[in-house]
Amino acid sequence: MKCAEYYLDNHKIEIHYSLFGTESVFVNGNKISEQRSSLKKPHHFVLGNNRYDIYSKLDIAGPSGKDFQIHKNGAAVSLVNFKSQNSKALLFLIVVLGTATGYVIGLYLFQLYFGDF
């Protein structure tokens, strides 16, 4: 599943995440880095004379569940993620929390008014 897509110095950088916990970084369609996301190590690669590092962290509120920071020669670079940002996961979380909250309130009100029933 593609988590992020960036354009940097005329290069297309894509970050994919598998269900088994593996992150892969592709530059212009070629895989250049792959590792387990639980290792908390950055992805390193070189394009031209520049060294790039991609750091990932968990972002529960985000659409993909992950947030990425790209560093160019040690300095952070501000980039826009061009992957379409859908919020299905956030909508699902809101529906589940709303249903659970309604159930708990309904149970409390039932016990309050019909406890002797």
Side-chain angles (χ1 to χ4, degrees):
M1 165 174 73
K2 187 190 311 187
C3 292
E5 180 178 319
Y6 300 103
Y7 290 92
L8 179 65
D9 297 335
N10 295 325
H11 297 284
K12 181 179 178 182
I13 298 173
E14 297 175 310
I15 302 170
H16 294 257
Y17 182 76
S18 74
L19 293 175
F20 301 110
T22 303
E23 286 180 354
S24 301
V25 177
F26 292 84
V27 175
N28 298 329
N30 300 320
K31 186 188 291 188
I32 58 162
S33 178
E34 181 178 62
Q35 64 185 13
R36 305 251 333 141
S37 64
S38 61
L39 295 178
K40 302 290 183 188
K41 290 182 180 178
H43 296 273
H44 303 289
F45 60 96
V46 176
L47 289 175
N49 295 330
N50 299 314
R51 177 186 168 92
Y52 294 96
D53 304 314
I54 299 178
Y55 297 90
S56 66
K57 64 178 180 176
L58 190 63
D59 182 18
I60 296 173
S64 67
K66 297 193 102 16
D67 185 35
F68 298 96
Q69 293 180 346
I70 298 179
H71 292 236
K72 178 180 179 179
N73 297 327
V77 178
S78 177
L79 296 174
V80 175
N81 186 356
F82 284 99
K83 183 185 177 299
S84 62
Q85 301 292 327
N86 61 14
S87 57
K88 289 180 185 176
L90 184 60
L91 178 64
F92 179 74
L93 180 65
I94 290 172
V95 168
V96 168
L97 288 176
T99 303
T101 303
Y103 179 77
V104 169
I105 290 173
L107 210 68
Y108 174 74
L109 291 175
F110 183 81
Q111 289 293 328
L112 185 66
Y113 291 110
F114 301 108
D116 297 333
F117 192 78

